[in-house]
Amino acid sequence: MRFDESYSGKVFIMSRATYEEADAVIYGMPMDWTVSFRPGSRFGPARIRESSLGLEEYSPYADKHLEEVAYFDAGDIPLPFGNAAKSLDMVEEYVEGLLNDGKFPLGLGGEHLLSWPIFKAMYRKYPDLAIIHIDAHADLREEYEGEVLSHSTPIRKACELIGPENVYSFGIRSGMREEFAYAKESGMNLFKFDVVEPLKRVLPKLKGRHVYVTIDIDVLDPAYAPGTGTAEAGGITSKELLEAQIHLAKADLSIVGADLVEVAPAYDPTEQTTIAASKFVREMLLGWVNKR
Amino acid sequence: MRFDESYSGKVFIMSRATYEEADAVIYGMPMDWTVSFRPGSRFGPARIRESSLGLEEYSPYADKHLEEVAYFDAGDIPLPFGNAAKSLDMVEEYVEGLLNDGKFPLGLGGEHLLSWPIFKAMYRKYPDLAIIHIDAHADLREEYEGEVLSHSTPIRKACELIGPENVYSFGIRSGMREEFAYAKESGMNLFKFDVVEPLKRVLPKLKGRHVYVTIDIDVLDPAYAPGTGTAEAGGITSKELLEAQIHLAKADLSIVGADLVEVAPAYDPTEQTTIAASKFVREMLLGWVNKR
Amino acid sequence: MRFDESYSGKVFIMSRATYEEADAVIYGMPMDWTVSFRPGSRFGPARIRESSLGLEEYSPYADKHLEEVAYFDAGDIPLPFGNAAKSLDMVEEYVEGLLNDGKFPLGLGGEHLLSWPIFKAMYRKYPDLAIIHIDAHADLREEYEGEVLSHSTPIRKACELIGPENVYSFGIRSGMREEFAYAKESGMNLFKFDVVEPLKRVLPKLKGRHVYVTIDIDVLDPAYAPGTGTAEAGGITSKELLEAQIHLAKADLSIVGADLVEVAPAYDPTEQTTIAASKFVREMLLGWVNKR
Amino acid sequence: MRFDESYSGKVFIMSRATYEEADAVIYGMPMDWTVSFRPGSRFGPARIRESSLGLEEYSPYADKHLEEVAYFDAGDIPLPFGNAAKSLDMVEEYVEGLLNDGKFPLGLGGEHLLSWPIFKAMYRKYPDLAIIHIDAHADLREEYEGEVLSHSTPIRKACELIGPENVYSFGIRSGMREEFAYAKESGMNLFKFDVVEPLKRVLPKLKGRHVYVTIDIDVLDPAYAPGTGTAEAGGITSKELLEAQIHLAKADLSIVGADLVEVAPAYDPTEQTTIAASKFVREMLLGWVNKR
Amino acid sequence: MRFDESYSGKVFIMSRATYEEADAVIYGMPMDWTVSFRPGSRFGPARIRESSLGLEEYSPYADKHLEEVAYFDAGDIPLPFGNAAKSLDMVEEYVEGLLNDGKFPLGLGGEHLLSWPIFKAMYRKYPDLAIIHIDAHADLREEYEGEVLSHSTPIRKACELIGPENVYSFGIRSGMREEFAYAKESGMNLFKFDVVEPLKRVLPKLKGRHVYVTIDIDVLDPAYAPGTGTAEAGGITSKELLEAQIHLAKADLSIVGADLVEVAPAYDPTEQTTIAASKFVREMLLGWVNKR
Amino acid sequence: MRFDESYSGKVFIMSRATYEEADAVIYGMPMDWTVSFRPGSRFGPARIRESSLGLEEYSPYADKHLEEVAYFDAGDIPLPFGNAAKSLDMVEEYVEGLLNDGKFPLGLGGEHLLSWPIFKAMYRKYPDLAIIHIDAHADLREEYEGEVLSHSTPIRKACELIGPENVYSFGIRSGMREEFAYAKESGMNLFKFDVVEPLKRVLPKLKGRHVYVTIDIDVLDPAYAPGTGTAEAGGITSKELLEAQIHLAKADLSIVGADLVEVAPAYDPTEQTTIAASKFVREMLLGWVNKR
């Protein structure tokens, strides 16, 4: 007697009914408590789902239909308010569970620090892991205001975990001098301002690798994604991000997980950010899940 | 593996898991296609549910807790876009099913025309039905722009169905001259401007009757409920509407169903309308459901 | 072949087609250039007209229909941007023309300084003029930042023109100490905080007088009228202002003109301020025009 | 005594005073009742006119001045709320009248279904008609939720009316798999994602033809046009749409009518969508009207 | 060469230039990290200061001028993001410093948990302290989601610190059943729904006592204060809160400190909440500071 | 005891503490009283400062850190409301003082007319001055509505002052026919639509010259800068404006002052315009100040 949920705005459209029948699992991470400037991304996952109602199930980019991918939207992990450490532990444990069950984890943030426990779980399973990081901000700080667990540090910690040479950042247009210096000295791969062109050059080098992709919505110019906490002028367009997604889908490598973070609906009065985000999630599902 | 839904914003908080165990059923009616001025109430039910997340389960007004009432949120009836006639039929059939199953129907609009099919279903079951109508607008037109099925006609049709003397309207501050004339001549009971005082005078006369209550959110002043299609200055406060709800809860009569309509989130940038609406729904559940 | 204008949102609903057949003339004064804090009231008249589309033509307050009053909406006076002195001259000349033609002037602001040239034109025609002023602010300054022609001075200038004993201010909850002192010493009639009660006491004293009424929308609490330049907490409700209008309509005196000023749509995302303002204009038309 | 209307925001700037002296007629179609996701485009025409106040009358793109084109803004056709079938009939009849009087019809929507009756009227007059369709969505469905008259079907119906080979769609980035399949199989001309480049290739083929142009504002990325019902990320820029308009103006073909649809002011808090739309209308007037 | 700061919007208007010459100190507490529903109050203090620019320095309520009170706006305490425990320690230490210097502490929040360290500092100095708490929420939880330091617990902790019989809560309309039960059993003084009437009854009992006053802006109805994290329908008006402030100013007791918390500008598009808040701060300064 | 101001949002981040130690001075010009369409830019300077809080101090564009530039944010010049003539005199006098003290003037508007007095002061000091003007509008009118001092005239007046051949306008996409004709006939240098390409061609010609740069934020498309009074579709991106800034920084010429005008926060609900503007100011400081 309850009406069909897969078109209710409560789960991403066309979510399968059960976890068991899914190859990929969408999960929300409603946390923004280490965010300094404008919080609110904790509400991102719910609004991305709601905006998915406006999507077509078929993509002319991928020439595929969502029914061709088996995924389950598990809802939001119930992270404890204000407790960053415990929240990160819960995310790590949850993603580890997904990997153990052979699922493709597709996380929705929430703040970017949430990618850090995911990286740890992914790396335990895939010791040859490479990370593709698409973002406006380098996120390479050692700490932020004395705090190591901050939305400004996850990529630095990733470098320390899997080796800087295995981390590829694209579209970076903001950071401290020290972050850019670290990128240069450590041997990690940081590409400033642009995404599509450097990505096309990098992808052949990742041939056959296991790759995790983390996208911070603020890589887009605020014109395209005003609904984020630390909007930074001078970014790329939605068209360019879609193009990058297609290149990743077609590349000869194995994508083993992905996230989209920092969508903050409070700064998105026209809903354009969540509308765009839901489309990026659709393309992740269509192009990336079955590349494993 | 899916996280608990009763606190997800996808159903009204504390919804029971199944239809079977419920005494009352919350259902959404996402239709606004006969609305003349500012459409958008089709999104009302979803946002009322989402705002319910901010509510306490206990009410100091009723001194009761939501766990004391067994209700199930069934989601939105999938009404066909633009087809008012068919939508109304679906609502009537759905409510009839609820009544057959012995459930208390608690409808969320959507436009006010949606109360009309509910009235029909209720009247078939309760031939002594009285209707309490709380609204800024008389809704007593015979037609609107040549259309009998309009958001301006449901109370007129109710009068014709159950007899004008069984219809009680409160808070009315807008209508055509003909509507006020009809109210006077037909013998229906229309109280202008105020709600609480006339309601207190009327309730003893309804002793022992079966009563259906329909509330149009625009009875509130736009200061309290800007998120509605035909906001009308000079209305009552949220405090007064809560007071009216308590009087109804304590009255010696049998409430057999209720609806809350015309919540339109597009005009509600601060969410204050859906926040208030979710509280009114909580008080309906706590105070009215078990009065049958 | 052009569609009927009286329901287009371009003129106040039910405006007669020509100036000649009208007893009252609605005119806009799109000026806000002396406003210090938040400009934007220049767009007030256009949006009040647009919101009039949502009104019923019949009022249950006055028990009258707009077709019973002959009025013409003349549009906005084309005031020269940034030139306050010339704008005021144009308004004075325009209102003088209306009075010469025997019309009831109903002005829509725009900033409150615009009432000053109207006062001058009214006083020339009605040497026994009394002014009823409903506002949050005393507007009794001698100058503002060195400027005599300011939105803070019109009532002071009115006192100097027609004598302070002929000026009645209601609802005042903001002003300099000197303004309140002037009010007390000069013998003008200033009532703090409230409107309805003091107005009821004052009206009998104005029996038989020619009265001009100027209403600043900010007499309402910001909850009821956020769309204004100098919102001031602690104000009255829309219901109270409507009640004051009815008392004026029923009083034994002659209302010879009126204005409603300081509606600023830029701060009114829900349109509740212009919706309320259009209702106040309707009640002015129904209750005040034919009292001359 | 009424002030000049051609600069009032009530008609598109520089509208001639009478229908008779005009070569082109601007008319609004305030209907959105078959819209599924976010209604509101019924208010589009009025706000486009209002935003025209901010335009220069001269265009450096066309190097022409609006005084060089004789057009009349007829206001909005008074379409009956909720009645799609009758509304479409009224539009068809109205456009037929315009064509009989030798006018260039320039329609403002309202939802895209409104183009369907226009197509019918145009085709009766111009049996060699070609249609240029610029949009994010294919609009090639046979029906939507069981309804043939839907905002998702007008181009399909156009194909059936004038032959798919005479329909050219540009910028399409959303649709069902079946729609793209139909486009391919039927022989219609559908160009995905881009507008300017494929248009430049197509225009020579249309040499000498009678062409009707329909533009859905959502061909723009939501960054440029958030104010629309079904915003779709990944679109073109305003600059590109202006460029397309210029190419059309310079092409060796005869444009015999045009429309701009789906502008929905409720999702346009900054007014950027209506500001852009009014500019596109100006370029239609300057570049297209006298190409007949 | 820097322009005068006391009218810059950067400090509360008429702030003295130095700490030394001040009797009272305004300080901001930009923290919201334990907030569950809608964060954002960390930006409250800055926007209250900015809105103070729109205030008159003279109050007709208190019949006093801000120049009669010597206060210094110290800006915001630089609280470390996400670290609640350390933030609370910093606030406690700061307020202790103010008290040692003989200053009246006037805190601006920020979330309500911030009152807890203030209570501790106040109680050390004034062992006979009574607390007046004006709020929509009881804030009497023992913990929230397992966390003792939460925005839902400060009044419970206050009861435990100074004795429940010394705590007076007004306007409470939301809480768990356990909170209301605790209030009743413990002997604390909790008044539901209303503020002014119970306050008038209580004040004589507090004769001669040292009193700290904490106001949560959400005691106002969302109509008056939409800009807050946990808006709760059914609240009091701005007029009533001003009236309560005046009663406190006239009472025969010694106010030794105060705070105003939970102003969240992100939900305040019309700025009406910060406009009201700045007025409440003015009345605190005028009426309460010199009552010590 | 007052907390550090250079990170308070009250001054541009990293402002030095005193005027004396600065090479450049940031000053606000809060005036918009000659603006015709949508006023509000008077609040631009304050919000640009506030948004600077979200910036990194290091720029990967310039590879420089703000600590390498000594600047002082002097706040807003206290311009008298509504008095354009006097305001312009004050700006001229202020800038003259800065130049006498050897400071680089960096002005924040406010409306574009404010550049006119700056031009006069600059030209007195640098008789070989060239002006680079980046804008959507030509601003070449001789007068606007009979007023010579208007936001539409400053570049015309600049041409008359320093010779049209010394004025370079970029990105112009709006103006009267007469303005474009004047540009052509007078020998000034006006480049339509684009900025970066024509600028790259022009810069070598300005080798060794003293150059003043004035940027109107509306050169950006409204997608990138909705928060401005006369938004004009078809503009450039933030990325392009940043690129133009870098070219200017690297060019072999001496930049002796700059301004950024027409930021109007009232039309900027997502803050994207002020966020972008603060970044442009950072690049001005890093790239232009020490080029003198």
Side-chain angles (χ1 to χ4, degrees), chain A residues 32-40 42-43 79-83 86 144-145 147 266-267, chain E residues 32-40 42-43 79-83 86 144-145 147 266-267:
Chain A
D32 56 11
W33 20 98
T34 81
V35 170
S36 53
F37 198 50
R38 302 193 303 179
R42 76 180 68 165
F43 302 110
L79 306 177
F81 303 118
N83 191 332
K86 188 172 168 199
Y144 185 69
E145 306 264 336
E147 183 59 70
Y267 312 104
Chain E
D32 56 11
W33 20 96
T34 80
V35 170
S36 53
F37 198 48
R38 303 192 303 179
R42 74 181 69 166
F43 302 110
L79 305 178
F81 303 119
N83 191 331
K86 189 173 165 198
Y144 185 69
E145 306 267 334
E147 183 60 74
Y267 313 105

Side-chain angles (χ1 to χ4, degrees), chain B residues 33 35-37 39 42-43 81-82 144-145, chain D residues 33 35-37 39 42-43 81-82 144-145:
Chain B
W33 18 97
V35 170
S36 53
F37 199 49
R42 75 180 67 165
F43 301 111
F81 302 121
Y144 185 69
E145 306 266 335
Chain D
W33 19 99
V35 171
S36 52
F37 198 50
R42 74 181 68 165
F43 302 111
F81 303 119
Y144 185 70
E145 308 264 335

Side-chain angles (χ1 to χ4, degrees), chain F residues 30-48:
Chain F
M31 159 173 157
D32 56 12
W33 21 97
T34 81
V35 170
S36 51
F37 198 49
R38 301 195 302 180
S41 63
R42 76 181 66 166
F43 301 110
R47 292 293 165 96
I48 293 172

